[in-house]
Amino acid sequence: MNAPHDLSMKTDEVLQVELAVFKQEHSDLDEAIHALIERGTGDQLTIQRLKKQKLRLKDLIARIEDRLTPDIIA
């Protein structure tokens, strides 16, 4: 997750698989954050770190979706 992702060198099939994996990771992080907040077991630093990781995943998901979605000229 820390390494930059060069989307230009990947096939659409690879990007589709990565997209599914990243969406699942994003969902898992969301559940973990909510569980930590509800139970009161997570410290603020941990929760902030997880939220940043979730935001990085969201940005990466958006970049992959943009790459996979063809531009439509109206």
Side-chain angles (χ1 to χ4, degrees):
M1 192 61 223
N2 293 335
H5 293 274
D6 184 10
L7 302 180
S8 64
M9 301 301 289
K10 296 181 180 180
T11 65
D12 286 356
E13 292 80 20
V14 170
L15 290 174
Q16 289 285 359
V17 171
E18 286 186 349
L19 182 60
V21 170
F22 293 147
K23 282 184 174 184
Q24 184 61 51
E25 286 181 24
H26 185 270
S27 177
D28 291 346
L29 278 172
D30 192 46
E31 290 177 19
I33 291 167
H34 285 298
L36 288 173
I37 292 171
E38 284 180 11
R39 292 185 199 140
T41 56
D43 61 278
Q44 283 303 109
L45 187 60
T46 300
I47 292 170
Q48 281 182 328
R49 184 179 56 79
L50 292 174
K51 285 182 177 182
K52 277 187 173 183
Q53 187 176 352
K54 184 178 156 195
L55 185 57
R56 280 192 298 269
L57 276 172
K58 181 180 175 186
D59 291 341
L60 183 55
I61 288 167
R63 286 180 41 219
I64 292 173
E65 288 176 337
D66 286 347
R67 163 79 194 291
L68 291 173
T69 306
D71 290 336
I72 299 173
I73 300 173

